[in-house]
Amino acid sequence: MTNAGKKIISSNKKAYHDYTVFEKFKAGIVLFGTEIKSIRKGAINLKDSFAKVEDMEVFLYNCHISPYEGGNRNNHDPERVRKLLLNKKEILKILGKIKQESYTIVPLELFLERGFAKLEIGLCKGKKLHDKRETLKKKDIQREMERFK
C-alpha cells in the first residue's frame, strides 16, 4: 500500500509521454461486480482510453477490463462505456476548460482507496513531436546525473 491506504492498480505511462497534464481530478467509477474483481487482480488497461462530458456526466471510453475467470454468463463486456462520478462543480470546471482551451480528459491511474476503485483523470493537451523529444532528452540527462552521484 502507498499513500495512506491507496493501492495503485494501473497507471497510464503513455499519457505522460503523449500529453502535458495541467490539472488532476479524482473520480469514482461505476462498475459491475465482476469488473471490480478483475480490477483487484490487475486485469485492466488504460492505455488508449479517454473520457468525455455528455449531458453533464463524464463517461470513460476504451478502458479494457478483462472478463473475470470465475464469472458466469452474466460477465461484463470488457470495452463497455463506464460512468465516472464527479461533483457538479468539478464537471462544470472541466467542461469550461475543454470548451475554452481545448483540453482533453485522459485517465492517468486507477487505484483502490478504502475498497473503492477510483480513477485519477487529468486535463491534458497533446504534445508535439519536438516536445516529446525534448522530454526524453531531459529524462536521459537526469538519469545520467543520477548515475554519477
Side-chain angles (χ1 to χ4, degrees), residues 19 46 48-52 59-63 104-107:
Y19 299 96
L46 296 173
D48 295 324
S49 56
F50 62 95
K52 275 188 190 176
F59 293 96
L60 181 66
Y61 292 88
N62 289 352
C63 177
T104 305
I105 308 171
V106 179

Side-chain angles (χ1 to χ4, degrees), residues 24-95:
K24 295 179 181 180
F25 295 93
K26 185 167 63 169
I29 184 168
V30 177
L31 298 169
F32 293 146
T34 55
E35 288 177 322
I36 191 67
K37 289 179 180 184
S38 292
I39 286 173
R40 287 196 174 113
K41 290 180 83 175
I44 182 168
N45 185 3
L46 296 173
K47 199 173 196 177
D48 295 324
S49 56
F50 62 95
K52 275 188 190 176
V53 179
E54 298 171 355
D55 298 328
M56 292 302 294
E57 294 180 330
V58 183
F59 293 96
L60 181 66
Y61 292 88
N62 289 352
C63 177
H64 183 86
I65 300 176
S66 299
Y68 183 62
E69 296 93 33
N72 57 11
R73 61 189 165 126
N74 297 327
N75 225 342
H76 66 276
D77 176 28
E79 292 281 331
R80 80 175 182 89
V81 178
R82 293 165 181 91
K83 183 178 175 182
L84 298 180
L85 305 171
L86 289 160
N87 292 333
K88 188 174 182 179
K89 194 183 291 186
E90 291 174 325
I91 294 172
L92 288 171
K93 186 175 183 179
I94 290 170
L95 197 58

Side-chain angles (χ1 to χ4, degrees), residues 84-138:
L84 298 180
L85 305 171
L86 289 160
N87 292 333
K88 188 174 182 179
K89 194 183 291 186
E90 291 174 325
I91 294 172
L92 288 171
K93 186 175 183 179
I94 290 170
L95 197 58
K97 296 260 185 175
I98 289 172
K99 287 184 178 177
Q100 194 174 45
E101 301 175 31
S102 68
Y103 283 124
T104 305
I105 308 171
V106 179
L108 303 174
E109 68 181 20
L110 186 114
F111 55 92
L112 292 175
E113 190 174 72
R114 293 181 293 139
F116 295 102
K118 302 285 183 177
L119 186 70
E120 185 175 65
I121 57 175
L123 282 175
C124 307
K125 274 195 179 177
K127 287 184 183 177
K128 305 283 188 235
L129 183 60
H130 60 86
D131 291 336
K132 291 179 189 177
R133 288 181 184 153
E134 188 176 309
T135 305
L136 287 174
K137 284 180 190 175
K138 285 181 183 176

